[in-house]
Amino acid sequence: MTILYFVAYSFCYMVSLLPFWVLYRISDLFYVLLYHIIKYKRKVVRNNLRISFPQKGENEILAIEKKFYAFLCDQFVETIKLCSITEKGINKRMAFEGLPEMVSELENENKNFAFLYMGHYGNWEWMSSYSLWENDADFLALYKPIRSKVT
């Protein structure tokens, strides 16, 4: 482990000990920094929203854009929280209505399944910490690396 990694992880761990309400205030500051000062990829995001929602006017696009950046900053601090969040804390914040029962039913019927696909909304990084079943389950994220010249 390099010293830089140790320092970065130690900092993130200490930040993760802060309560959620403080982390969300930090997220609000990140939003101002990212959206209003740095203007991180705003043209790309706005163009993608225009393409995705051609029926929406500029005011609606701008509102969605701002909500996206606020959501992105919340995701950032929630991911840092993973350094110290307890099992009880993660289970309190994630709910899957009907899913545990469906999985139990499949197991009781001796029906095997290997994959469970989920939508990409919310902090899916938390899934690795969520105890959905009493037995052991592995959660893996599949992704395709970005090869954009913009990033």
Side-chain angles (χ1 to χ4, degrees), residues 21-68:
W21 71 268
V22 174
L23 290 174
Y24 287 126
R25 296 301 77 76
I26 292 170
S27 172
D28 294 343
L29 293 173
F30 282 153
Y31 166 78
V32 171
L33 181 68
L34 201 64
Y35 185 76
H36 293 288
I37 297 170
I38 297 173
K39 299 179 181 177
Y40 178 71
K41 293 190 177 188
R42 273 189 16 192
K43 289 180 183 177
V44 173
V45 170
R46 190 167 300 162
N47 188 52
N48 287 345
L49 289 171
R50 284 182 183 133
I51 292 168
S52 299
F53 304 106
Q55 75 282 9
K56 296 201 181 285
E58 282 302 307
N59 289 340
E60 289 176 292
I61 294 292
L62 187 62
I64 295 169
E65 179 182 296
K66 288 179 178 181
K67 286 179 185 177
F68 162 75

Side-chain angles (χ1 to χ4, degrees), residues 42-144:
R42 273 189 16 192
K43 289 180 183 177
V44 173
V45 170
R46 190 167 300 162
N47 188 52
N48 287 345
L49 289 171
R50 284 182 183 133
I51 292 168
S52 299
F53 304 106
Q55 75 282 9
K56 296 201 181 285
E58 282 302 307
N59 289 340
E60 289 176 292
I61 294 292
L62 187 62
I64 295 169
E65 179 182 296
K66 288 179 178 181
K67 286 179 185 177
F68 162 75
Y69 278 94
F71 181 76
L72 178 65
C73 293
D74 285 351
Q75 295 269 301
F76 179 72
V77 297
E78 288 173 357
T79 301
I80 290 175
K81 187 68 175 178
L82 275 174
C83 292
S84 66
I85 196 165
T86 63
E87 182 178 350
K88 182 180 177 185
I90 203 81
N91 290 343
K92 177 181 172 185
R93 288 169 176 82
M94 292 185 70
F96 293 89
E97 295 178 12
L99 186 58
E101 295 81 10
M102 180 189 75
V103 170
S104 293
E105 185 178 320
L106 289 171
E107 288 175 340
N108 291 339
E109 295 173 4
N110 290 321
K111 292 183 179 176
N112 295 322
F113 62 97
F115 298 99
L116 176 65
Y117 295 94
M118 300 182 332
H120 190 274
Y121 184 78
N123 200 327
W124 56 268
E125 286 85 356
W126 283 14
M127 191 63 205
S128 62
S129 299
Y130 182 73
S131 47
L132 184 61
W133 300 284
E134 293 177 10
N135 61 355
D136 290 330
D138 293 324
F139 294 96
L140 304 169
L142 302 175
Y143 70 97
K144 180 178 180 182

